[in-house]
Amino acid sequence: MRNQYLKIEPVGGIGQIGSNMTLIQGANDTILIDAGILFPYEDFFDINYLIPDLSTIPVPSHLVITHGHEDHIGAVLHVIKQFPNIKVLASPFTAALIRKKLEFNNTPYPITEYRNVDQLGFIDFNIDPIHVNHSIPETHGLLIRDHKEEFGLFFISDFKIDYKTIYERPFDFEKLIKLSQNLKRKVLLVDSTNITSNTLQTPSEADIIPVMDEIFASTEKRIFITCFSSNIHRLMTFISLAKKHGRRVIPHGRSMISYLNTANELGMIPDFDSVIKPADSVTPNQDNLVVLLSGCQGDFRGTFRRFCMGEDSTFKPRSDDLVLLSSKAIPGNEKKISLLMNKLAELGIKIITSQEKLIHVSGHPGRDDLTHLYEKFKPTDIVPIHGETSFIRAHIEHIKKTFPSATPHYFLNFDSMIVSDDLKLTINLGKKHDPVIIHGKQLVLEKEKISERRKLACNGSVFISLKVSKSLTDVEKISFTFQGLPNLVTKGDDKFKRFLENYFVQISFKDMDKTTEELRIAVRRYFDQTLGYKPQTFIHIL
Amino acid sequence: MRNQYLKIEPVGGIGQIGSNMTLIQGANDTILIDAGILFPYEDFFDINYLIPDLSTIPVPSHLVITHGHEDHIGAVLHVIKQFPNIKVLASPFTAALIRKKLEFNNTPYPITEYRNVDQLGFIDFNIDPIHVNHSIPETHGLLIRDHKEEFGLFFISDFKIDYKTIYERPFDFEKLIKLSQNLKRKVLLVDSTNITSNTLQTPSEADIIPVMDEIFASTEKRIFITCFSSNIHRLMTFISLAKKHGRRVIPHGRSMISYLNTANELGMIPDFDSVIKPADSVTPNQDNLVVLLSGCQGDFRGTFRRFCMGEDSTFKPRSDDLVLLSSKAIPGNEKKISLLMNKLAELGIKIITSQEKLIHVSGHPGRDDLTHLYEKFKPTDIVPIHGETSFIRAHIEHIKKTFPSATPHYFLNFDSMIVSDDLKLTINLGKKHDPVIIHGKQLVLEKEKISERRKLACNGSVFISLKVSKSLTDVEKISFTFQGLPNLVTKGDDKFKRFLENYFVQISFKDMDKTTEELRIAVRRYFDQTLGYKPQTFIHIL
């Protein structure tokens, strides 16, 4: 048996969209690519996010970040805590975003910047960042090659191919081809986000500009736009059109202001000073405003929601406003967003969504774009990543159909691909680990605690405390608190009190645990008869 | 000022999809059309459903039901409770569905059946049911005409136009035109569900048959299909194709079995006895099965979910199964459903959805279908109903564009249209009433109780009780219970105990209320410092 040469193991990002994190191990090196968070699948009651279980992975020396989206950098804080000696590498803009996050959490940490032309050298391999297009500036694919330059892994989780964009170079196929053409085995790990989409070629970021230009020309009144705050190129479109149409741009909402400032600090926004004004420097009702609202997913605490509900203290929606949703609903958020659209519609406000006009484009490749990439890179092997399991399966079918010369490989988080010295590939199935739930001050909340919370929320709750006489024969005092139970119960306090008093006539308090448990069961049964469900019941006997 | 002639007031179904209920009042008559439920917009923690606030409406003499979907019959039980003398009218199949619901809740009540040819006579007006197509058999529009036959209201909330269906007659335009042609004013209240859809003409239920036929021919192995259980015509397609391909049909799940049995009891399913078998009469692993699973929305307690998760006691998913989603996600359910698709994809099971093949068609009209209806009925006035507010607005624009001879009217729940003696129309804005939340045994749960439940779920909870000495100077005993808090807190019991003990050193129990409140604030602050959020805190001092 040959020695292991390289091991590629995703620990997040396959089978779910989010929490992207991939382990690359050579004989000497252990590095992580990306450290992302996952938003909960089912409702976890305001829980912030989930991350891969970092306790299950070997200690990495480096963390290399491909781009600055939350599902790629959101867990950097946790990685640093878990692996206090890790060296974090990111492009300048991405590094600035990470630094802001860390400072916000009072845990500054040095981030090493890599530029597009840099080669990141390790003992077992080199990494060349390849510039790709996406929906945030400075997104990279990573070409990982052994020093013999026989084996190459092109890791490219999020990307699109944009030949028309005016904001950056198109996907750098030239560099990719130049560096990879002599490799004997070429493995492509690649984005599956849009594999089931009927849009085969993702439109260019530039395609939005004339559509937006026309929309800007169509109204003299205020324009409100919500979009992903990290989409700096999109924001640049709004800013330059605002300038053209003699409007002021007001970024509104913490994340909108923060991303714009970060980009501006790096000199990325040419018209910043002349066009962008803070909200408190304008008359909110003046017509010539373009207000950029964060919270395009309708998040409960988001600025877009606050505006739509009429709860924003600066900008109140007016019937002659124009509202643009330059974004799309991430699955699960559809209802939250349509609720807000209804609120605006009630006021008679004109709303334009990306369903009606091309005011949003995806940052991920359509099926034809993927085929284009296969044809350029000519991989021997392809591993679909970045997608739900059903997407990964669909991507495998797409590879079989459009690029049969490559071998598609299906594997999920914690499975791994082993590259041997003679460049053979083996897939090993790994033990699965549930992601970890993070709530509050970046703290772990155990899964069973979510279940406790769910029960409280679904059934309401009763707290009862009893003061028992020294002789353990009489109840001297009863207190109880209802939470989340209907008026039928709470306005009938006396009825429940009588039930308890009657119950106490016949019991003893000699065996406290037994009495407590019996009372708990009796109380739950009492409510079940009235309500049809059993509140969570907690009893203290003192 | 003329006397009021007729008042039309929706109390549910506009501005939200669901809880359809419309009040029609003449000088003498007060009738309700439909009594539906609404599924909660935001997550209400397992809350069953919402209904319009019945305490706000005048006492109706009759409830006329258009068809048997839950958003039209789900609140019949509540209407009967609130108005114990009401007469309920429904078509035979719909009546059978309502009776089953009422019996299930131990509240049998007489339902009067109307047939399609019947005219329902009232003091102020007559109602003629007009047969329309939809996604459940026996769906009717209601043509309401005054006795002078000058004014007509065509009320048609849910419908499609299906000229090709083999299961029922197409939309009965002939009867509609015959009865309405001499009316001087014709108002159309009409479905807005699909107004924003890019499918302009809704395909026929018959269009699915050849596609399904091909799919049935493509596998020798088991076929699992999930769809809306009430879509009897869809089920008939599966049954007749199963017969053709020599397969057995197994309805699986309470609602699937119940709807099929109800339809069969009315003689609607020709091949029932020869093709349909109960689950316990077959070998679960035999190949020639078509298993119909209820719960196509991925509901937590649904059979489809149970099957996908491998938790069904009869049918375990196998890699050679074919699974068909002959349905679409109702907005809000996308994530639940994709979770299940991932589970199947992990096993390598082939899944076909309506995105890939025409195995589901909508029961609502596309924009061109709506225009076709306008052109047939030739209304003078059109009121969009059955849709979110943004849909109602879009529908108004569609009317202006495609049928400018009619006047579109925009109004929402609790607004009303008054028809005067001289057939003039006035819109009156009404006071809005929030829908009522129903949980457990059809009981009202007040809105503020939902908020209590949300806080418990989002922050966890601490319940503390103290036994204080007779002298009110010392704490003799402390008990506390944590719910939904991380191990960091719960495994550190002693730390919290010490915090409490230290706190008690300096306080007095003379003013019990003040002490309780101060302690509550101190406890919440204590946890906020550790966790970054404040658990709901309840204190009993005994």
Side-chain angles (χ1 to χ4, degrees):
Chain A
M1 205 177 123
R2 312 281 304 219
N3 288 328
Q4 174 184 316
Y5 186 52
L6 207 68
K7 181 179 170 191
I8 302 149
E9 179 183 331
V11 295
I14 312 193
Q16 82 249 133
I17 293 186
S19 73
N20 295 285
M21 194 179 290
T22 305
L23 201 59
I24 310 284
Q25 284 180 278
N28 304 286
D29 292 313
T30 298
I31 68 161
L32 269 184
I33 302 178
D34 290 333
I37 56 172
L38 173 71
F39 295 102
Y41 233 96
E42 304 194 49
D43 186 5
F44 272 5
F45 318 119
D46 246 17
I47 288 303
N48 310 22
Y49 54 82
L50 295 92
I51 61 167
D53 186 348
L54 300 173
S55 70
T56 65
I57 65 172
V59 179
S61 62
H62 291 75
L63 167 63
V64 184
I65 303 289
T66 61
H67 65 287
H69 278 149
E70 283 298 301
D71 59 338
H72 293 257
I73 68 167
V76 169
L77 179 71
H78 299 275
V79 169
I80 290 169
K81 270 193 200 166
Q82 183 83 18
F83 309 112
N85 296 317
I86 198 165
K87 192 168 174 188
V88 183
L89 301 159
S91 75
F93 177 61
T94 309
L97 294 176
I98 296 171
R99 279 189 205 109
K100 276 210 177 173
K101 279 182 77 71
L102 295 176
E103 277 158 24
F104 183 80
N105 288 297
N106 298 314
T107 46
Y109 193 88
I111 311 295
T112 306
E113 293 182 13
Y114 69 78
R115 287 165 310 150
N116 193 262
V117 294
D118 293 339
Q119 186 176 68
L120 317 179
F122 298 89
I123 305 172
D124 300 321
F125 43 77
N126 290 324
I127 299 184
D128 287 280
I130 308 287
H131 164 74
V132 302
N133 308 113
H134 186 35
S135 46
I136 188 168
E138 298 185 5
T139 300
H140 294 98
L142 300 177
L143 181 65
I144 303 171
R145 291 176 302 162
D146 70 300
H147 294 305
K148 287 187 273 175
E149 300 201 355
E150 290 183 333
F151 173 79
L153 167 69
F154 187 38
F155 177 93
I156 178 180
S157 69
D158 295 42
F159 78 104
K160 69 189 279 188
I161 300 169
D162 195 339
Y163 284 113
K164 283 164 68 183
T165 176
I166 59 172
Y167 298 113
E168 58 179 359
R169 287 176 300 136
F171 191 122
D172 194 352
F173 284 118
E174 203 180 323
K175 180 174 178 185
L176 175 65
I177 292 166
K178 192 173 144 234
L179 296 183
S180 65
Q181 59 193 350
N182 295 324
L183 298 170
K184 290 185 186 151
R185 188 174 282 273
K186 295 196 269 190
V187 177
L188 176 65
L189 263 76
V190 63
D191 192 347
S192 310
T193 311
N194 282 2
I195 194 75
T196 63
S197 163
N198 292 324
T199 305
L200 301 181
Q201 277 186 22
T202 302
S204 166
E205 193 61 40
D207 292 334
I208 294 174
I209 301 172
V211 183
M212 273 289 172
D213 193 7
E214 215 170 272
I215 293 172
F216 272 47
S218 73
T219 180
E220 301 283 309
K221 303 295 180 177
R222 302 189 304 181
I223 300 174
F224 290 82
I225 307 177
T226 188
C227 68
F228 295 99
S229 307
S230 60
N231 197 330
I232 302 299
H233 297 155
R234 185 75 46 84
L235 303 180
M236 286 168 77
T237 294
F238 304 144
I239 293 164
S240 63
L241 287 175
K243 189 181 181 189
K244 175 178 169 188
H245 291 271
R247 288 175 172 270
R248 299 276 184 234
V249 170
I250 319 296
H252 198 46
R254 198 177 68 83
S255 88
M256 190 61 80
I257 293 168
S258 170
Y259 276 102
L260 262 178
N261 284 346
T262 306
N264 187 48
E265 283 154 19
L266 297 180
M268 296 162 78
I269 318 277
D271 295 312
F272 191 93
D273 292 331
S274 62
V275 180
I276 293 182
K277 302 290 159 199
D280 57 12
S281 74
V282 297
T283 316
N285 275 327
Q286 73 192 66
D287 287 337
N288 71 336
L289 299 184
V290 174
V291 184
L292 305 180
L293 304 166
S294 43
C296 68
Q297 296 304 304
D299 339 348
F300 201 72
R301 291 183 186 79
T303 306
F304 179 54
R305 181 182 167 107
R306 213 170 55 225
F307 167 72
C308 294
M309 303 298 277
E311 293 164 0
D312 189 71
S313 56
T314 311
F315 297 104
K316 301 291 173 194
R318 263 179 11 202
S319 62
D320 58 1
D321 288 335
L322 176 62
V323 176
L324 311 177
L325 275 71
S326 177
S327 55
K328 60 151 229 167
I330 293 173
N333 296 336
E334 294 82 355
K335 252 183 150 172
K336 274 192 284 183
I337 296 170
S338 68
L339 175 73
L340 301 184
M341 287 175 63
N342 289 342
K343 285 285 166 193
L344 298 176
E346 276 173 30
L347 299 172
I349 290 173
K350 191 169 160 58
I351 309 162
I352 302 177
T353 69
S354 59
Q355 218 188 332
E356 294 147 58
K357 293 199 173 168
L358 191 69
I359 60 172
H360 174 69
V361 295
S362 171
H364 297 272
R367 287 199 292 278
D368 284 358
D369 298 317
L370 285 169
T371 311
H372 188 65
L373 169 64
Y374 311 153
E375 285 162 358
K376 290 277 191 181
F377 180 56
K378 296 189 175 56
T380 54
D381 299 86
I382 307 179
V383 184
I385 58 170
H386 205 278
E388 322 243 343
T389 314
S390 59
F391 293 16
I392 305 290
R393 291 281 188 191
H395 198 160
I396 297 271
E397 294 308 310
H398 176 69
I399 295 161
K400 285 184 190 163
K401 208 185 298 172
T402 65
F403 202 73
S405 65
T407 307
H409 299 272
Y410 167 82
F411 59 87
L412 300 180
N413 292 338
F414 301 106
D415 299 334
S416 56
M417 174 180 263
I418 313 283
V419 189
S420 65
D421 281 348
D422 58 357
L423 304 183
K424 290 241 164 66
L425 301 180
T426 324
I427 307 295
N428 286 346
L429 299 184
K431 186 174 175 325
K432 308 293 176 208
H433 303 277
D434 278 340
V436 169
I437 302 158
I438 305 294
H439 187 207
K441 286 191 175 174
Q442 286 82 43
L443 299 172
V444 171
L445 185 71
E446 298 76 20
K447 215 176 168 182
E448 64 273 20
K449 304 306 172 69
I450 290 288
S451 150
E452 286 181 3
R453 290 178 175 209
R454 186 182 303 279
K455 284 182 190 158
L456 288 171
C458 294
N459 306 314
S461 160
V462 188
F463 298 144
I464 303 168
S465 35
L466 308 175
K467 187 177 177 181
V468 180
S469 65
K470 286 235 166 79
S471 59
L472 299 182
T473 49
D474 299 308
V475 175
E476 293 183 344
K477 206 171 165 194
I478 302 174
S479 276
F480 50 86
T481 303
F482 299 127
Q483 278 289 296
L485 297 184
N487 284 346
L488 180 77
V489 165
T490 56
K491 305 273 179 192
D493 272 19
D494 283 353
K495 211 181 144 206
F496 181 60
K497 201 170 179 181
R498 278 199 306 279
F499 158 78
L500 287 178
E501 283 164 355
N502 286 335
Y503 183 87
F504 294 143
V505 169
Q506 350 141 22
I507 57 161
S508 121
F509 292 91
K510 303 282 176 200
D511 183 343
M512 218 55 124
D513 286 349
K514 189 162 163 258
T515 305
T516 306
E517 182 57 14
E518 282 172 358
L519 176 58
R520 199 182 69 88
I521 291 168
V523 168
R524 281 164 62 84
R525 192 175 301 137
Y526 168 86
F527 282 111
D528 193 25
Q529 280 164 8
T530 320
L531 300 176
Y533 54 89
K534 298 174 182 166
Q536 298 305 98
T537 302
F538 307 98
I539 296 166
H540 293 168
I541 302 182
L542 299 177
Chain B
M1 206 177 125
R2 315 279 305 218
N3 288 328
Q4 174 184 318
Y5 187 52
L6 206 69
K7 183 180 169 189
I8 301 148
E9 182 184 329
V11 295
I14 313 192
Q16 80 248 134
I17 293 185
S19 74
N20 295 284
M21 195 178 289
T22 305
L23 201 58
I24 310 286
Q25 283 181 278
N28 305 285
D29 293 314
T30 298
I31 69 162
L32 270 184
I33 302 178
D34 290 335
I37 56 172
L38 173 72
F39 295 103
Y41 233 95
E42 303 192 51
D43 185 8
F44 272 5
F45 319 118
D46 244 17
I47 288 305
N48 310 23
Y49 53 84
L50 294 94
I51 60 168
D53 186 349
L54 300 174
S55 70
T56 65
I57 64 171
V59 178
S61 62
H62 291 75
L63 169 63
V64 184
I65 302 289
T66 60
H67 66 288
H69 277 150
E70 283 298 300
D71 59 337
H72 292 257
I73 68 167
V76 169
L77 178 72
H78 298 274
V79 169
I80 290 168
K81 270 194 199 165
Q82 183 85 17
F83 309 113
N85 297 314
I86 199 165
K87 193 169 173 187
V88 182
L89 301 159
S91 75
F93 176 62
T94 309
L97 293 176
I98 297 172
R99 280 190 205 107
K100 278 209 176 171
K101 278 183 77 70
L102 296 177
E103 278 158 23
F104 183 79
N105 288 296
N106 297 313
T107 45
Y109 193 86
I111 311 294
T112 306
E113 293 182 11
Y114 69 78
R115 289 165 311 150
N116 193 261
V117 293
D118 294 340
Q119 185 175 68
L120 317 178
F122 297 90
I123 305 171
D124 299 321
F125 44 76
N126 292 323
I127 299 185
D128 288 279
I130 308 287
H131 164 74
V132 301
N133 308 113
H134 186 36
S135 46
I136 189 169
E138 299 185 2
T139 300
H140 294 97
L142 300 176
L143 181 64
I144 304 172
R145 292 175 302 160
D146 70 300
H147 295 305
K148 288 187 274 177
E149 301 201 354
E150 290 184 330
F151 173 79
L153 167 70
F154 187 39
F155 177 94
I156 179 181
S157 69
D158 294 42
F159 78 105
K160 71 189 277 188
I161 300 169
D162 195 338
Y163 285 114
K164 282 165 69 184
T165 177
I166 59 171
Y167 298 113
E168 59 178 0
R169 287 174 301 137
F171 192 121
D172 193 352
F173 284 120
E174 203 181 325
K175 180 175 176 185
L176 175 65
I177 292 167
K178 192 173 144 233
L179 295 182
S180 66
Q181 59 191 350
N182 295 321
L183 297 170
K184 290 184 185 151
R185 189 175 281 273
K186 296 196 270 191
V187 177
L188 176 65
L189 263 75
V190 63
D191 191 347
S192 310
T193 312
N194 282 2
I195 195 74
T196 62
S197 162
N198 292 325
T199 306
L200 301 180
Q201 278 185 22
T202 302
S204 166
E205 193 61 40
D207 292 335
I208 293 173
I209 301 172
V211 183
M212 273 289 173
D213 193 7
E214 216 169 272
I215 293 173
F216 272 46
S218 73
T219 179
E220 302 282 310
K221 301 296 180 179
R222 303 189 303 181
I223 300 175
F224 289 83
I225 308 177
T226 188
C227 70
F228 295 100
S229 307
S230 60
N231 196 332
I232 302 298
H233 297 155
R234 184 74 47 84
L235 303 181
M236 287 168 77
T237 294
F238 304 144
I239 293 165
S240 63
L241 287 175
K243 190 182 177 186
K244 176 178 167 185
H245 292 271
R247 287 175 172 269
R248 300 274 184 235
V249 171
I250 318 296
H252 198 48
R254 198 177 68 82
S255 91
M256 190 59 80
I257 293 168
S258 171
Y259 276 102
L260 262 179
N261 284 345
T262 306
N264 187 47
E265 283 154 19
L266 296 179
M268 295 161 78
I269 317 278
D271 295 312
F272 192 94
D273 292 332
S274 62
V275 180
I276 293 183
K277 302 290 159 202
D280 56 14
S281 74
V282 296
T283 315
N285 274 328
Q286 72 191 68
D287 288 338
N288 71 336
L289 299 184
V290 175
V291 185
L292 305 180
L293 303 166
S294 44
C296 68
Q297 295 304 303
D299 338 350
F300 200 71
R301 292 181 185 81
T303 307
F304 179 54
R305 183 184 167 104
R306 214 171 53 225
F307 167 72
C308 295
M309 303 298 278
E311 294 165 0
D312 189 71
S313 55
T314 311
F315 298 104
K316 302 290 173 197
R318 264 180 10 204
S319 63
D320 58 0
D321 288 334
L322 176 62
V323 176
L324 311 177
L325 275 71
S326 176
S327 55
K328 59 150 230 167
I330 293 173
N333 296 335
E334 294 82 355
K335 250 183 150 171
K336 273 192 283 183
I337 296 170
S338 68
L339 174 73
L340 301 185
M341 287 175 63
N342 289 342
K343 286 285 167 193
L344 298 176
E346 276 174 29
L347 299 172
I349 290 174
K350 190 170 159 59
I351 310 163
I352 302 177
T353 70
S354 59
Q355 220 189 330
E356 294 148 56
K357 291 200 175 171
L358 191 69
I359 61 171
H360 174 70
V361 295
S362 171
H364 297 272
R367 286 201 292 279
D368 285 358
D369 298 317
L370 286 168
T371 311
H372 187 64
L373 169 64
Y374 311 152
E375 285 164 357
K376 290 278 190 182
F377 180 56
K378 297 190 174 53
T380 55
D381 299 85
I382 308 179
V383 184
I385 58 170
H386 205 279
E388 321 244 345
T389 314
S390 58
F391 292 19
I392 305 290
R393 291 281 188 192
H395 196 160
I396 298 270
E397 294 308 311
H398 176 68
I399 295 161
K400 285 184 190 163
K401 208 185 296 173
T402 65
F403 202 73
S405 65
T407 308
H409 299 274
Y410 166 82
F411 60 86
L412 300 180
N413 293 338
F414 301 105
D415 298 334
S416 55
M417 173 181 266
I418 312 284
V419 189
S420 65
D421 281 349
D422 58 356
L423 305 184
K424 290 242 164 67
L425 301 180
T426 324
I427 307 294
N428 286 347
L429 298 183
K431 188 177 175 323
K432 308 293 176 210
H433 303 278
D434 279 340
V436 168
I437 302 157
I438 306 294
H439 187 207
K441 289 192 174 172
Q442 286 82 42
L443 299 172
V444 171
L445 185 71
E446 297 75 21
K447 212 175 168 180
E448 64 272 20
K449 304 306 172 66
I450 290 288
S451 149
E452 286 181 4
R453 291 178 175 207
R454 185 182 305 279
K455 284 182 192 158
L456 288 172
C458 294
N459 307 314
S461 162
V462 187
F463 167 39
I464 304 167
S465 37
L466 309 175
K467 187 174 174 184
V468 181
S469 65
K470 284 235 168 78
S471 60
L472 299 181
T473 49
D474 298 309
V475 176
E476 294 183 342
K477 207 173 165 192
I478 301 173
S479 276
F480 50 87
T481 304
F482 299 125
Q483 278 290 297
L485 297 184
N487 284 346
L488 180 77
V489 164
T490 57
K491 306 271 179 195
D493 272 18
D494 283 354
K495 208 180 148 207
F496 181 59
K497 201 167 178 186
R498 278 200 305 279
F499 160 77
L500 286 178
E501 283 164 357
N502 285 336
Y503 183 87
F504 294 143
V505 169
Q506 351 142 23
I507 57 161
S508 124
F509 291 91
K510 304 283 177 200
D511 183 342
M512 218 55 123
D513 287 349
K514 189 164 164 256
T515 304
T516 306
E517 181 56 16
E518 282 173 358
L519 175 56
R520 199 182 70 84
I521 292 169
V523 168
R524 282 165 60 84
R525 192 176 303 136
Y526 168 86
F527 283 111
D528 193 27
Q529 280 165 6
T530 319
L531 300 175
Y533 54 90
K534 298 173 184 168
Q536 298 305 98
T537 303
F538 307 97
I539 296 165
H540 293 167
I541 303 182
L542 299 176

